[in-house]
């Protein structure tokens, strides 16, 4: 079974940085879209960053462009989210996600399309 486990969340002051990590067991990166989502209480889960594990240009939500960067490491089965210039509105729970994809189309950010999820990690920016 595929298992995704996030780590790296925590508390940081506005303007600071955090790097979230996701270990993806039993996942073939080149056959999957890899993503980070976030969800605030009472709101829908939104895609923050997505990338095709087989290589390609990531896409980002407008709210994080230029500040966040997703980077898969196939050799280590890890997916990272580097978050810089953090803002208080980035305070939410972040989730690592994956879904099967063979043709590199990872533009669809609907959470319903993703089949594998981590348990989430909380980020607090004050």
């Amino acid at each position: 079974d595929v298992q995704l486990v996030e780590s790296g969340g925590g508390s940081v002051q506005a303007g600071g940085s955090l790097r979230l990590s996701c270990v993806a067991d039993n996942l073939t990166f080149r056959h999957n879209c890899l993503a980070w989502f976030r969800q605030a209480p009472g709101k829908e889960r939104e895609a923050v960053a997505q990338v095709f594990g087989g290589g390609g240009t990531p896409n980002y939500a407008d709210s994080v462009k230029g500040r966040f960067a997703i980077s898969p490491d196939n050799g280590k089965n890890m997916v990272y989210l580097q978050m810089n210039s953090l803002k208080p509105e980035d305070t939410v729970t972040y989730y690592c996600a994956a879904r099967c994809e063979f043709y590199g189309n990872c533009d669809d950010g609907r959470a319903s399309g993703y089949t594998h999820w981590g348990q989430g990690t909380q980020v607090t920016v004050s």
Side-chain angles (χ1 to χ4, degrees), residues 10-18 85-92 122-126:
S11 298
V12 65
Q13 290 189 340
S17 298
L18 281 175
S85 303
L86 283 161
K87 305 175 180 180
E89 51 264 44
D90 296 319
T91 296
V92 287
Q122 176 68 33
V123 171
T124 302
V125 185
S126 59

Side-chain angles (χ1 to χ4, degrees), residues 31-100:
H31 294 157
N32 278 269
C33 291
L34 308 168
W36 285 93
F37 282 73
R38 66 185 183 184
Q39 186 172 24
K43 294 191 176 181
E44 290 188 359
R45 198 166 290 191
E46 67 164 342
V48 172
Q50 301 177 88
V51 69
F52 179 51
T57 302
N59 62 78
Y60 298 95
D62 287 343
S63 57
V64 306
K65 278 181 182 176
R67 300 190 298 124
F68 290 13
I70 186 172
S71 56
D73 185 333
N74 199 347
K76 296 181 179 179
N77 267 41
M78 298 290 293
V79 185
Y80 303 101
L81 185 68
Q82 179 66 42
M83 306 186 296
N84 299 324
S85 303
L86 283 161
K87 305 175 180 180
E89 51 264 44
D90 296 319
T91 296
V92 287
T93 301
Y94 288 76
Y95 298 88
C96 179
R99 63 175 174 85
C100 188

